[in-house]
């Protein structure tokens, strides 16, 4: 790099006087001296460089950049001038302009490494990660223990997809300065990108221990565990993060979502409100609360929530969504549609499409409603979990099990039948394809003082998973059956109080597919089968807004829903042909016509004394809190009949699937 030429006498004298004035605190006077020397033909580079430095010190960044540019143009190899200009440009936010000054050639030629450091930082800011990595590598070749450059190099390599290179740099950075929390987090991120999640988890746990007041390691641990499907451990990490930073709206919001997923509704509401206390304009928290109020039969809370959002100045798009929900509750369907016109596509797109469809349906605008129900399904299909593929796998599993359900297979079962256990009598199982009235029935049964009703809870699924599925049932001996029964009741006891003398009713519609397992473990179990016109059932499944588990993913398209219905009942009927199941059937259409007439025989079948309070299903529904099914909006209404025969309005749209459903329509005593 060329050295600066000697100053002429006039420039040297002027700079000496100007610097003396500056040291005395007279910055304006110093500037006047240098400006006058510049006018009189003094050294353009030296005087502009000085004036640029002086302007920067006085806060005049525009003046500093003007003078430093003038000096840099005439002496581009001067690193001091270049660095001062870069600094001024950065201070004004002109990152691209600063990067143009920090050229590759200047960075490589600068023995002080200042330009290379600037170049790395600027390139990284501009997402020119290859340039950034080259600059940091140049610095580290000459200063191998420079912590900041190692950390930045790790991040640049990570952005380039060089996960192992990022890990190597960040490991060195952590070794040099183990007391820098961000570098630990960067290392964990790089380890995850390299597919080394176990090491990333260890790094985050150690960071959480080493920095006991920092919530960030625990937040990142939550993300890692959540991505790994370890939901309980993820929630624990998130709760610990909130313990360190309770005023963090982002953490509180994420906790609210997690609590909602595991139906801990009181904690979810508290977390949503805590998030809003910190950030009163957090749109997603208002949306989350509105959806929770809908699911917990507290739709009267919509109006106060809307008022709070309005006073906080929340975005009108989000307000339109919540207002539409309130209008639907009040049966102001046209007003609800009008509100949705202002909801942008970024706000709850699947729910917005579904809400629009339900409003159109209630207005009798059938073709438009079907189109929007289909749009909601199409939006759900784009979920990263690939719901259509998971749905297809679920249907294939049912086909495989149907093929296995033969007399020859049943004959391979070992013969022990578990003895009756007076302490834990065999449960009753309430089954029926989704949207067949099982939620209305379980709400009625909850109203009886001598019942314990589980609503779609996991104990039987846990047992099934531990055993290895239906194909493993023949291997069960007496000891295995006893262990499986004990496991079931242990899990039930975690979520319900098993009162002596109370009848346990385990409601889960698709336990239709668990009949062989239920009969093996509980040979005295009774079944309540809820039936409804198959066309109404499939339509209702298609137009409901389910969570996208593998089974419910079958309801995103009518053709998949019809095929799943057919397979499910083929499975159920095959099981009934092989095993002596004790079944009481109750039809939805008859139930809504005369509740008492249908419920009295049901109570007789269950051995329950008559209780008038059980018929007040609306009171029971409001007392029960969170409803896990898509029926939450209906069970708090009076018994209504509008859904019976609704499929006829949509007959044209359902025509392609009627041949699949026709045999079941006939078998169950309905007609087309």
């Amino acid at each position: 790099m060329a050295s600066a030429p000697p100053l002429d006498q006039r420039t040297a004298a002027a700079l000496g006087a100007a610097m003396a004035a500056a040291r005395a605190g007279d910055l304006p006077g110093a500037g006047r001296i240098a400006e006058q020397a510049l006018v009189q033909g003094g050294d353009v580079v030296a005087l502009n460089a000085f004036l640029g430095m002086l302007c920067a010190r006085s806060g005049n960044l525009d003046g500093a950049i003007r003078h430093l540019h003038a000096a840099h143009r005439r002496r581009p190899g001067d690193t001091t001038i270049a660095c001062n200009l870069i600094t001024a440009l950065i201070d004004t936010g002109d990152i691209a302009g600063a990067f143009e000054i920090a050229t590759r050639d200047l960075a490589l030629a600068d023995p002080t490494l200042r330009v290379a450091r600037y170049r790395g930082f600027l390139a990284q800011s501009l997402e020119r990660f290859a340039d950034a990595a080259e600059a940091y590598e140049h610095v580290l070749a000459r200063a191998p223990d420079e912590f900041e450059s190692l950390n930045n190099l790790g991040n640049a390599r990570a952005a380039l997809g060089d996960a192992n290179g990022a890990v190597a740099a960040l490991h060195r950075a952590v070794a040099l300065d183990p007391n820098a929390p961000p570098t630990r987090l960067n290392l964990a991120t790089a380890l995850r990108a390299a597919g080394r999640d176990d090491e990333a988890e260890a790094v985050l746990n150690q960071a959480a221990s080493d920095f006991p007041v920092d919530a960030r390691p625990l937040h990142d641990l939550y993300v890692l565990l959540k991505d790994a499907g370890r939901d309980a451990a993820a929630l624990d990490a998130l709760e610990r993060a909130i313990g360190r930073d309770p005023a963090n709206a982002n953490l509180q919001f994420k906790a609210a979502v997690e609590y909602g997923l595991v139906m801990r509704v009181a904690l979810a509401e508290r977390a949503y409100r805590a998030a809003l206390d910190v950030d009163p304009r957090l749109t997603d928290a208002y949306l989350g609360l509105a959806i929770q109020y809908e699911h917990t039969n507290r739709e009267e809370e919509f109006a106060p929530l809307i008022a709070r959002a309005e006073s906080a100045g929340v975005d009108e798009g989000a307000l339109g969504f919540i207002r539409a929900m309130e209008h639907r509750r009040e049966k102001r369907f046209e007003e609800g549609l009008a509100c949705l016109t202002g909801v942008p596509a970024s706000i709850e797109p699947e729910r917005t499409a579904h809400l629009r469809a339900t409003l159109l349906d209630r207005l009798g605008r059938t073709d438009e409603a079907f189109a929007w129900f289909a749009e909601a399904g199409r939006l759900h299909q784009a979920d990263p979990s690939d719901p259509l593929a998971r749905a297809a796998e679920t249907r294939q599993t049912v086909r495989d099990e149907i093929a296995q359900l033969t007399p020859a297979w049943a004959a391979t079962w070992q013969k022990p039948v578990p003895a009756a256990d007076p302490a834990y009598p065999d449960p009753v199982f309430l089954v029926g394809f989704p949207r067949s009235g099982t939620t209305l029935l379980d709400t009625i049964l909850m109203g009886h003082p001598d019942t314990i009703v589980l609503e779609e809870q996991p104990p039987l699924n846990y047992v099934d998973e531990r055993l290895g599925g239906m194909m493993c049932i023949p291997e069960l001996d007496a000891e295995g059956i006893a262990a499986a029964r004990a496991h079931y009741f242990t899990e039930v006891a975690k979520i319900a109080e098993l009162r002596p003398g109370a009848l346990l009713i385990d409601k889960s519609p698709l336990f239709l597919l668990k009949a062989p397992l239920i009969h093996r473990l509980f040979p005295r179990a009774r079944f309540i089968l809820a039936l409804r016109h198959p066309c109404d059932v499939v339509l209702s499944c298609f137009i409901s807004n389910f969570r996208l588990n593998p089974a419910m993913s079958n309801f995103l398209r009518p053709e998949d829903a019809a095929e799943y219905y057919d397979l499910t009942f083929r499975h159920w009927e095959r099981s009934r042909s092989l095993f002596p199941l004790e079944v009481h059937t109750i039809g939805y259409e008859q139930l809504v016509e005369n509740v008492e007439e249908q419920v009295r025989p049901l109570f007789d079948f269950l051995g329950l004394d008559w209780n008038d309070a059980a018929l007040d299903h609306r009171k029971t529904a409001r007392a029960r809190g969170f409803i896990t099914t898509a029926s939450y909006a209906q069970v708090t209404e009076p018994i209504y009949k509008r859904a019976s025969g609704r499929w006829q309005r949509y007959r044209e749209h359902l025509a392609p699937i009627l041949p699949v459903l026709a045999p079941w329509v006939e078998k169950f005593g309905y007609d087309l």
Side-chain angles (χ1 to χ4, degrees):
M1 182 181 305
S3 59
L7 293 176
D8 64 89
Q9 223 171 14
R10 180 187 299 171
T11 300
L15 285 175
M19 284 189 280
R23 284 195 293 271
D26 183 10
L27 297 184
R32 286 192 295 272
I33 295 170
E35 290 280 7
Q36 184 177 6
L38 195 59
V39 170
Q40 293 174 350
D43 189 299
V44 172
V45 173
L47 291 167
N48 273 301
F50 176 78
L51 284 165
M53 178 271 297
L54 204 62
C55 287
R57 285 180 58 186
S58 62
N60 178 11
L61 291 177
D62 289 340
I65 291 168
R66 184 176 70 256
H67 285 295
L68 290 167
H69 260 307
H72 177 70
R73 279 193 297 271
R74 289 166 175 78
R75 196 178 296 161
D78 189 309
T79 56
T80 299
I81 294 171
C83 287
N84 287 341
L85 177 55
I86 290 167
T87 301
L89 289 165
I90 290 173
D91 287 344
T92 64
D94 186 2
I95 303 300
F99 182 72
E100 289 180 7
I101 303 302
T103 63
R104 182 177 185 273
D105 289 345
L106 187 61
L108 297 180
D110 174 20
T112 71
L113 303 177
R114 289 182 299 163
V115 178
R117 294 187 187 98
Y118 273 128
R119 180 173 172 81
F121 162 75
L122 294 164
Q124 201 157 3
S125 301
L126 293 168
E127 299 186 357
R128 300 181 56 151
F129 299 113
D131 291 327
E134 181 187 42
Y136 292 132
E137 286 165 354
H138 173 75
V139 172
L140 290 164
R142 291 149 184 79
D145 292 337
E146 188 169 285
F147 160 77
E148 293 84 356
S149 291
L150 279 167
N151 177 74
N152 293 337
L153 175 61
N155 292 336
R157 285 176 173 172
L160 289 168
D162 179 11
N164 290 325
V167 168
L170 290 164
H171 262 308
R172 287 176 58 201
V174 170
L176 286 169
D177 186 357
N179 296 316
T183 310
R184 304 276 197 100
L185 304 185
N186 293 338
L187 173 58
T189 299
L191 286 165
R192 292 200 64 194
R196 296 155 66 176
D197 279 12
D198 289 346
E199 293 175 68
E201 183 177 350
V203 167
L204 291 172
N205 275 315
Q206 188 61 53
S209 174
D210 291 345
F211 309 110
V213 298
D214 193 336
R216 292 172 298 175
L218 289 170
H219 170 265
D220 287 8
L221 181 62
Y222 153 74
V223 173
L224 182 153
L225 295 169
K226 185 70 178 175
D227 289 347
R230 295 160 60 186
D231 291 347
L235 180 55
D236 175 71
L238 184 56
E239 288 175 328
R240 287 189 287 143
I242 290 171
R244 296 180 178 188
D245 189 6
N248 187 310
N250 177 54
L251 294 178
Q252 293 285 4
F253 173 75
K254 288 180 177 178
V257 173
E258 295 297 332
Y259 288 136
L261 291 174
V262 294
M263 300 173 203
R264 295 166 68 180
V265 293
L267 290 177
E269 180 174 351
R270 187 173 73 185
Y272 277 129
R273 291 192 175 279
L276 288 174
D277 287 343
V278 177
D279 183 357
R281 300 186 65 182
L282 184 58
T283 298
D284 286 342
Y286 289 101
L287 296 171
L289 271 175
I291 292 164
Q292 178 165 302
Y293 289 149
E294 183 182 31
H295 281 256
T296 53
N297 314 310
R298 294 169 59 197
E299 293 181 326
E300 69 279 0
E301 299 281 358
F302 286 162
L305 184 66
I306 291 167
R308 178 175 181 177
E310 288 173 339
S311 67
V314 169
D315 176 76
E316 279 294 316
L319 279 168
F321 178 85
I322 304 173
R323 287 172 182 145
M325 296 176 76
E326 167 70 351
H327 286 312
R328 183 180 62 179
R329 180 182 81 92
E330 293 291 340
K331 299 181 173 53
R332 299 188 296 258
F333 306 124
E334 292 284 4
E335 292 91 329
L337 281 175
C339 283
L340 289 181
T341 60
V343 178
S346 59
I347 291 182
E348 296 287 341
E350 298 88 357
R351 290 185 184 275
T352 299
H354 186 265
L355 179 54
R356 187 187 304 276
T358 61
L359 292 166
L360 289 164
D361 176 76
R362 294 297 294 274
L363 287 167
R365 294 161 61 176
T366 302
D367 292 343
E368 294 171 84
F370 189 88
W372 278 102
F373 283 127
E375 174 64 8
R378 186 190 66 78
L379 290 168
H380 278 302
Q381 291 168 31
D383 188 87
S385 66
D386 197 355
L388 292 185
R390 292 188 295 140
E393 290 172 7
T394 300
R395 296 195 300 277
Q396 186 57 50
T397 297
V398 179
R399 287 191 203 94
D400 294 342
E401 291 188 357
I402 292 170
Q404 190 71 37
L405 283 167
T406 63
W409 178 76
T412 65
W413 290 20
Q414 296 193 37
K415 297 306 177 187
V417 175
D421 184 345
Y424 295 104
D426 288 5
V428 173
F429 290 89
L430 172 53
V431 300
F433 204 77
R435 308 299 292 150
S436 294
T438 54
T439 301
L440 176 57
L441 272 173
D442 80 34
T443 305
I444 291 169
L445 290 164
M446 282 181 189
H448 197 289
D450 296 332
T451 64
I452 303 165
V453 180
L454 304 182
E455 190 200 19
E456 301 190 30
Q457 295 294 331
L460 187 68
N461 289 324
Y462 290 157
V463 173
D464 191 28
E465 290 168 9
R466 178 176 288 185
L467 293 177
M470 192 188 84
M471 304 305 184
C472 299
I473 293 175
E475 304 169 10
L476 281 173
D477 55 16
E479 183 179 351
I481 291 172
R485 286 172 60 98
H487 182 201
Y488 173 82
F489 285 111
T490 297
E491 293 297 332
V492 170
K494 294 177 182 178
I495 53 179
E497 180 186 356
L498 292 171
R499 306 187 307 273
L503 181 65
L504 177 61
I505 301 173
D506 194 339
K507 172 257 181 157
S508 195
L510 289 174
F511 281 177
L512 282 166
L513 299 167
K514 304 291 186 189
L517 173 65
I518 292 169
H519 181 67
R520 188 58 170 151
L521 302 183
F522 308 108
R524 287 163 290 276
R526 288 163 291 174
F527 290 83
I528 306 167
L529 174 64
L531 284 182
R532 182 182 176 192
H533 195 298
C535 297
D536 271 330
V537 169
V538 169
L539 172 65
S540 188
C541 286
F542 170 63
I543 69 176
S544 294
N545 198 23
F546 292 104
R547 287 179 178 166
L548 293 181
N549 63 32
M552 299 301 105
S553 295
N554 283 283
F555 302 145
L556 300 181
R557 302 187 300 194
E559 60 269 30
D560 294 344
E563 183 182 9
Y564 193 46
Y565 184 97
D566 174 63
L567 289 168
T568 299
F569 273 105
R570 283 169 55 196
H571 194 291
W572 167 255
E573 290 297 325
R574 186 72 62 85
S575 297
R576 290 194 72 175
S577 72
L578 294 176
F579 312 114
L581 307 181
E582 190 176 354
V583 181
H584 179 88
T585 301
I586 190 163
Y588 175 81
E589 293 82 0
Q590 292 75 37
L591 181 65
V592 298
E593 282 291 338
N594 190 322
V595 178
E596 183 173 344
E597 186 178 274
Q598 297 299 311
V599 172
R600 279 189 179 274
L602 174 61
F603 280 15
D604 291 341
F605 171 73
L606 299 176
L608 294 171
D609 294 332
W610 180 250
N611 188 289
D612 288 330
L615 299 185
D616 191 352
H617 77 285
R618 298 174 69 193
K619 179 179 179 182
T620 304
R622 289 194 173 90
R624 71 192 285 188
F626 194 83
I627 296 177
T628 62
T629 74
S631 306
Y632 48 78
Q634 285 86 23
V635 295
T636 56
E637 296 182 353
I639 296 291
Y640 70 98
K641 304 173 186 177
R642 67 172 181 269
S644 296
R646 175 162 55 179
W647 75 273
Q648 290 283 9
R649 286 173 44 207
Y650 291 89
R651 186 182 187 111
E652 179 182 345
H653 300 284
L654 299 179
I657 66 172
L658 294 184
V660 178
L661 300 178
W664 299 109
V665 172
E666 181 179 358
K667 178 176 180 61
F668 296 145
Y670 296 99
D671 62 60
L672 291 175

